[in-house]
Amino acid sequence: MINKLYSFGDFTGQSFTNAVVEDFNDTVIKGSCFYQEYHVDSDIFPAGMTGVTFVNCNLDNVKIPKGNTVEGGCNRRIRVQNDGVDWILGGDLKPTEPVNKKLHIKRLLNIDPRKIPKIKDVKTVFKDKKDGRLY
Amino acid sequence: MVLSANTEWEIRANGTATGAGGFVTGASGTDYSQQDAVHSTRTDIVIDATTATNITSAADPFAADDVGNLINITSGTGFTAGRYEIVSQAAGVATLDRVVGTVSSTGGSGVLGGAATFLDATFEAMVAGNTAHIAADATHTLTAAISVAKDGTDSSPIKVKGYNTTRGDEPEGADRPLIAAGANSIAFDNYWQIRFLSVTTTASEGLGQDNAGAFHQCKVVNTSGSGSRSAIQIGSNARIILCEGQATNGRGLECGSNGVVYGCYLHDSSDGIYAYTSDSMSFINCITDTCTVGINIGWSGASGNKVINCTLYNCATGALMSDTNPLFMNNIIDNCTAGISASSVVNGAFLDYNNFSNNTTDVTNVTKGNNDTALDPQFTDAANGDFTIGTNLKAKASPTPSFPGGLTNNFLDIGAAQREEAGGGAAVTTATFVGF
């Protein structure tokens, strides 16, 4: 059963821990964005949620409780690094590649996690498109 | 051959990732792109033994009504995946716009018709002259970044237009299609015209494009907790018209050079407009509201930027103006800690006919003009984003000079929002600034 309440919604940064769990259970949630910027594996769904199938949802940084399934979409771990860039993390929570890797390649920006500065330095992120000046 | 320049694309939240998504205007067939589901799926496609643009399907022969539709070849040994136009059909054989693989290849899979979805691959398939129609059928949730390398051209830009219920209905406000991007950037290359979209994002570049493009009536909100990210980002020679940008800790609009920003509303951001290194940008009829810096042209190497008929309100610094030779004219700078400020003396600045009011300091390191005023702009409801002015700044005193020769009077209100005079039409002909 398609969940009309939570399908095709923009729920970026929102938490549903206090929501009615029956509104979730045993439904199909399609095409919604639940992305959480600040913490990987964020607990945002109500306790006891089960039987939910997430189809083509953005579940980045969202913890999917056992008993629920994900079909398509994304469920990556993302964290901003010292270069000011959002990186996708591996299983060891170390950065593997920028979220926007293709754009970084185009902008001639770093895509090698070994070259992430040891200290915070956002200046390397922004390069003028016209003449390549950094600022 | 390539896809026709006359291809019109359909992108829906309820479409499918493999939906072919396009139809060539004027083609003889039936447009199967304007539907959620694909029209047909084939898994037995064969490439002709001698002509590599011809394909057949024994299970579902091609028909006359397929002509003009795109077919998305998704897999098959000897097939080149991609979207192709069916340019003609005869006796069940479809002729495509270009070579689809190696002659005599069999077992290809392809999808004909059906709306596509808001994906990088969809936009990469477009060619100069194409138009993509983005439906507001539901929220478009991005699950991967978009960074399109494909260009339009000067004479044939690629157009992306949001619509609410009918193509061309030019939606405003919440009627626009909403793109929930998450951490994913949406970045186009050169010569794209993007219109009538609303985007939420946390990416470093929320909605951007490189050079010679245009954004019209787009709204982008970047809620990232990280600094220096942009809601809207443009390269050089761009036109930004009636757009709204908000970046909680970043830049409502980040600019390249030599472009025009007209009628935009940039608010609740660190920098409303970030044009730090820009040259020869024109900012006309824009509002910056409640930003750390309303317009940031803070690098002394920038030059030739123009700020005309703008309203800068409730900013720590209305305009950070270190540009070597800026023009700053007919603006309202109100309720700012520092009105217009440069890091060092800018002798080449031309400032005049501006209204400074309620600022702690009006100017620093730049010189005010002889025709400046200091009147209460009487905003209708600035706290809620309504910057229409009262009679104080009505153009009764002809705040801009009459045209040379004195033959033509000029009555231009100061600031971004122009008053409607008695007898004027009740309806605004351009979208209003806030909530459009």
Side-chain angles (χ1 to χ4, degrees), chain B residues 20 34 88 116 128 142 146 167 193 202 227 243 284 290 293 299 305 321 333 375 379 389 403 405 428:
Chain B
Q34 295 188 61
S88 63
L142 300 194
I146 291 176
R167 285 181 176 181
Q193 295 187 1
T202 66
C243 289
I284 304 169
T290 312
V293 180
W299 185 50
N305 293 289
M321 185 69 75
I333 306 96
L375 300 169
F379 293 131
I389 58 173
F403 285 93
V428 288

Side-chain angles (χ1 to χ4, degrees), chain A residues 10 31 37 86 100 102 106 126, chain B residues 120 124 141 189 200 224 228:
Chain A
D10 180 8
E37 181 181 24
D86 291 325
N100 299 293
K102 188 177 171 188
K106 177 182 172 182
F126 301 99
Chain B
D120 188 85
E124 288 287 14
T141 290
D189 212 77
T200 63
S224 178
S228 304

Side-chain angles (χ1 to χ4, degrees), chain A residues 8-12 30-35 37-38 56-58 60 72-74 76 78 80 84-86 99-104 106-107 122 125-131 133-135, chain B residues 13-14 120 124 138-139 141-143 145 147-148 178 180-185 187-189 200 202 205 209-210 223-226 228-229 233-236 251 254 257-258 274 277 279 299:
Chain A
F8 292 112
D10 180 8
F11 305 117
T12 304
K30 191 174 179 184
S32 286
C33 185
F34 294 97
Y35 170 62
E37 181 181 24
Y38 297 107
N56 293 336
C57 290
N58 183 328
D60 287 339
C74 57
R76 304 167 293 188
I78 295 169
V80 63
V85 172
D86 291 325
V99 172
N100 299 293
K101 181 179 179 181
K102 188 177 171 188
L103 184 62
H104 273 241
K106 177 182 172 182
R107 297 263 189 275
V122 297
V125 180
F126 301 99
K127 179 179 283 189
D128 185 82
K129 293 173 181 175
K130 179 185 171 191
D131 58 12
R133 289 181 294 203
L134 296 176
Y135 57 93
Chain B
N14 284 299
D120 188 85
E124 288 287 14
T139 299
T141 290
L142 300 194
T143 58
S147 177
V148 185
L178 173 63
N184 302 298
S185 285
F188 296 93
D189 212 77
T200 63
T202 66
E205 292 185 31
Q209 62 174 306
D210 281 1
T223 57
S224 178
S226 295
S228 304
R229 300 191 174 197
Q233 184 163 350
I234 56 172
S236 296
R251 299 143 184 180
E254 184 170 348
S257 295
N258 304 307
Y274 188 81
T277 60
D279 296 328
W299 185 50

Side-chain angles (χ1 to χ4, degrees), chain B residues 348-399:
Chain B
F350 184 95
L351 283 73
D352 209 349
Y353 306 99
N354 300 297
N355 186 78
F356 295 89
S357 47
N358 306 312
N359 306 305
T360 305
T361 303
D362 286 340
V363 293
T364 303
N365 285 331
V366 292
T367 303
K368 294 166 77 172
N370 292 333
N371 299 288
D372 289 339
T373 53
L375 300 169
D376 182 350
Q378 303 169 307
F379 293 131
T380 300
D381 189 1
N384 291 305
D386 186 346
F387 292 93
T388 50
I389 58 173
T391 54
N392 271 359
L393 294 184
K394 180 181 178 182
K396 58 186 178 184
S398 193

